[in-house]
Structure formats: C-alpha cells, structure tokens
Amino acid sequence: MFYFAISIFLFANVSAFSAGPALRRPSALNVATKSKAPVFDEVCDTTGVTLKRFMTEVALLNPELQELTTLFGAVDTACKAITNLVKRSQLPSSETLGYEGNINIQGEDQKKLDVITNDLLKRALRFTGKLGVLASEEEDAPVDIAGPSKEVIIDESDRYVAVFDPLDGSSNVDAGIPTGTIIGIYEHDESCDIDAECEGDDCAEQEARCLANTLQPGDNLVAAAYCLYSSSTFLVLTLGSGTYGFTLDENLGEFVLSHPNIKIPDTSSIMSFNEANTHMWDEPLKDVVTNWKQGTGKSGEQFSSRYIGSMVGDVHRTLLYGGVFGYPGDSKNPNGKLRLLYEGAPMSFIMEQAGGLSTTGTQRVMEISPEVVHQRVPIVMGSKNDVEEVIEAYANWEK
C-alpha cells in the first residue's frame, strides 16, 4: 500500500549567519541540481552529533536553508512516533493491524497503519507553522489542513514542496517486516495563486495548476530522507552534499549521527530483485543478472541474493554494503511498480549523493519529469560499476 502527500511549505526570508572554519565543499554530483549545494564543516562529520545539532550547524553555514531545520524537526518527531506505532502494532490491544476497509484513489485497499501514519505526518508537518497545503491519495486536490473544511489556502511567499510515502512496505507490516517513510523536498518554482472567492470548477482548475507545479524532476530536489523501522530506527538524509545516516538512541530520545558521509562501494556482489519475475524482464537485464549469478559478470564475482520486498529496507542495506537494488519493468508492468515522484526520485537522490547510480536501464531516474502525480518508473540503483553494467547492456541492446 502506498500513500502520497504533497505539502507546500511557506518560508519567510532569514537573516545571515557567519560560517565557521574548515568547510567541506560539495562534490561534483551536485552540478545537475537546481539549487547550490550546501557546505558542511567538521561538526557535520562527527559521530554522536544529534540531528538537531547537525541541522543547526547546517543552518549556520547555509542561512538559506535555515527553515529546513524546522522541517526536519517535524520529520524527526514523526519518525519517532511512527516507529513506536510500528513496534506496538503486533500487540492485540493496538488495533492497528489489518485493513481499514476503505479504498484509496488508486483502487488499493488501505491498511490501518497507512491511514494512521499519513494522518500523523500531516499533523507533524502542520505544526511546523510553515505548512499551508496538503494533497494525498485520499485528498487529491490541495486542501487546507489547518481547519476542518476543504477550503484551499495558499499564502503569498516563497515555498517548498514536500512529497512523501508515510509507510513504504506496509503490505509486510503484519508479518513484522521492516517498513519505512520516504520524504522528498522540492523548491516551488512557480506562483500558485488561488482566488479566495472562486467556486466549483474554477477552484478545481486553480487547484490543478498548483498540483501540476509539484511535477518536477528529481534534479530539482533540495533534500530527501527516509526513516527505516527495523532492528533500530534509522533516519538517512541528503541536503545535496553527501548522504548522512542517523540512528535513534532510545535512551536519549534523539537521532544521533552514526554514518557520516556514507559512500556506497563502487562494486559489490549482492543483488536485490524479485527474481520470481525474471522471466518477464527485458533481455538485457536477464542477461546481466544471469552473468552475476554465474560469476561471469564484469566484476568476476558470483553474486548472492538478498531481497526483503520493502524498498526502504533493501535500499538501506544496499547503501551500507553495496550491491544493486531493482524493481524493473516487465511484460506485466512495463513501468515497474515504484512511484517516481515520492519513491523513485527521493531514493535516487540519496543513492547518488552516496556515490551510487540510479537508472531505468535507459535513462537516469533523476532526469525524468513526471507527467502525473502517481507515475510509476522502473528502477535499478546501487553500486556505480554494477549499475553501469546494466546501463551498458541496455545501450548495446538498443543498437
């Protein structure tokens, strides 16, 4: 079950702060992104630093990102609350397992935890004081979440757009399989004016234009993050200058930096696919995976298979150990099953900032502009050399 939400965050101008010494400049991976990548110092590479301290330092060094501190404060709170919900979901008294009994806008049965976590994130983001508009699979047009009505509110100021999947992998939650939350933050690059006196179809048109403004390629992302609810609770983020992993210290009640500036190995011997669909894949991918299994691929290593079936869990392992995660297109689902805007693009941003690659086989995922909110996209991401082997196979197949 997948959920989607778009939140337009309204930001005021911020005053400048002086930057500290020993700045670390962004890598070449940032050249394609829309905004200037931030600079970090040694504080941001010190294990044990809390997420709050980390974001405060980022804001001091990059005043234009100060409002992201408020935003990630809400993400911090939401992830802590969701991890407690997930942990308690197995208890008979929790009443959070099973289906809600409703169908979302994509015709999918809603899990109870999908609904609960979606509402939780909405409340957390609302109380940042920056949230004006939200749209989800259940609220397909932007709505004012500050009140009970469906009246639309757009403030006249600069704004960010946040997209999220509140509980990725929720179909596995009844079995205690790892789940996660995926979040992407875009700049809002167009005006979104709605006449307060509009009625009926006129309002729908204006709301549709606001929603269309969110259909941006991943290259426009200014930040992305995921929370993984597993043996520990992890929060991994990028602000466009490297990928950083935090682990929840439950004694402190704080996320602390445990994996500074993550770098995925260039080559590995782990693959993570639903191999039950192999017979429906494109020939180039079939050939590459067959070679990996036999140890006749470019690395000469015989690959092993590790597949959870939860994107956040599989990508997290791939980031730390190296390897390739994929949910490719096939004859049954030519565009795969992962959503581009709020799953594929944010996770690709995180992967690329860690030195990996993400592709459809023929195109870089971050370069694709979604045409509709829930557009799906085939994805293969992971260690640079291994993903390049897939890209090369597709290139030779097309000749």
Side-chain angles (χ1 to χ4, degrees):
M1 171 63 56
F2 296 93
Y3 251 74
F4 163 76
I6 299 175
S7 309
I8 301 179
F9 291 85
L10 315 175
F11 290 86
N13 293 330
V14 296
S15 58
F17 293 85
S18 59
L23 303 182
R24 181 168 55 77
R25 297 294 172 183
S27 68
L29 283 172
N30 302 114
V31 296
T33 57
K34 181 179 178 181
S35 300
K36 181 184 72 173
V39 294
F40 292 168
D41 63 10
E42 67 274 11
V43 173
C44 301
D45 286 324
T46 304
T47 55
V49 167
T50 66
L51 177 61
K52 291 177 183 176
R53 178 69 179 91
F54 179 93
M55 292 304 302
T56 299
E57 190 71 13
V58 170
L60 288 171
L61 298 172
N62 307 273
E64 71 279 4
L65 298 181
Q66 185 182 9
E67 294 295 344
L68 282 179
T69 303
T70 304
L71 175 55
F72 274 96
V75 172
D76 173 295
T77 300
C79 288
K80 291 172 186 174
I82 292 173
T83 194
N84 285 328
L85 282 171
V86 171
K87 283 180 180 179
R88 292 183 56 81
S89 65
Q90 305 298 317
L91 298 175
S93 60
S94 72
E95 298 182 353
T96 57
L97 292 182
Y99 291 97
E100 179 72 9
N102 297 324
I103 304 294
N104 67 16
I105 197 167
Q106 298 190 77
E108 299 170 329
D109 290 324
Q110 295 179 349
K111 287 271 190 173
K112 289 180 181 179
L113 269 179
D114 280 312
V115 177
I116 294 168
T117 54
N118 186 66
D119 290 343
L120 192 155
L121 271 166
K122 284 161 59 177
R123 290 197 302 272
L125 295 171
R126 167 189 171 186
F127 289 114
T128 61
K130 309 298 180 183
L131 180 61
V133 177
L134 180 144
S136 74
E137 286 183 298
E138 281 59 53
E139 298 157 327
D140 204 34
V143 300
D144 170 24
I145 67 165
S149 71
K150 294 293 184 181
E151 180 183 0
V152 175
I153 291 181
I154 303 286
D155 290 346
E156 293 180 0
S157 66
D158 295 336
R159 41 181 84 91
Y160 283 129
V161 177
V163 298
F164 58 82
D165 179 356
L167 199 61
D168 173 73
S170 62
S171 61
N172 292 324
V173 75
D174 292 16
I177 304 298
T179 54
T181 298
I182 304 172
I183 301 165
I185 310 297
Y186 294 87
E187 287 184 340
H188 197 277
D189 60 355
E190 296 183 34
S191 62
C192 184
D193 299 322
I194 294 181
D195 185 354
E197 298 180 359
C198 71
E199 296 181 1
D201 291 342
D202 290 337
C203 283
E205 261 183 56
Q206 294 174 36
E207 292 165 4
R209 282 200 300 272
C210 287
L211 196 57
N213 288 342
T214 67
L215 301 179
Q216 302 183 47
D219 274 339
N220 286 5
L221 281 162
V222 296
Y226 66 76
C227 293
L228 171 64
Y229 314 115
S230 185
S231 58
S232 294
T233 301
F234 302 92
L235 193 160
V236 177
L237 64 84
T238 181
L239 304 175
S241 186
T243 296
Y244 291 79
F246 297 79
T247 302
L248 180 61
D249 184 330
E250 295 188 351
N251 290 329
L252 295 177
E254 297 281 356
F255 281 103
V256 297
L257 184 61
S258 53
H259 298 80
N261 203 18
I262 297 170
K263 294 299 179 187
I264 183 172
D266 286 341
T267 301
S268 183
S269 58
I270 303 172
M271 59 181 180
S272 183
F273 296 86
N274 182 355
E275 295 176 60
N277 295 329
T278 303
H279 64 287
M280 297 188 289
W281 291 351
D282 294 335
E283 290 301 323
L285 186 59
K286 273 195 216 177
D287 292 343
V288 170
V289 169
T290 298
N291 290 339
W292 286 344
K293 289 179 179 178
Q294 296 174 350
T296 56
K298 285 199 168 182
S299 69
E301 295 285 338
Q302 186 170 9
F303 278 52
S304 58
S305 181
R306 300 285 186 275
Y307 184 67
I308 300 171
S310 173
M311 184 186 191
V312 175
D314 282 315
V315 171
H316 185 72
R317 183 197 56 250
T318 301
L319 270 176
L320 298 184
Y321 298 164
V324 182
F325 164 78
Y327 206 117
D330 55 42
S331 56
K332 183 179 178 182
N333 299 292
N335 294 319
K337 297 194 75 174
L338 299 176
R339 276 72 166 190
L340 171 61
L341 187 64
Y342 47 94
E343 293 174 323
M347 297 300 266
S348 296
F349 191 29
I350 291 169
M351 181 63 69
E352 287 193 359
Q353 288 298 315
L357 295 179
S358 180
T359 181
T360 66
T362 59
Q363 186 176 7
R364 180 170 166 259
V365 172
M366 293 281 285
E367 294 175 345
I368 303 173
S369 295
E371 297 177 0
V372 294
V373 168
H374 304 295
Q375 180 174 327
R376 300 175 192 263
V377 64
I379 287 181
V380 176
M381 65 169 64
S383 294
K384 179 176 177 288
N385 294 343
D386 300 330
V387 176
E388 283 180 342
E389 191 172 348
V390 174
I391 295 171
E392 183 179 331
Y394 270 92
N396 293 334
W397 184 51
E398 291 179 339
K399 290 179 182 178

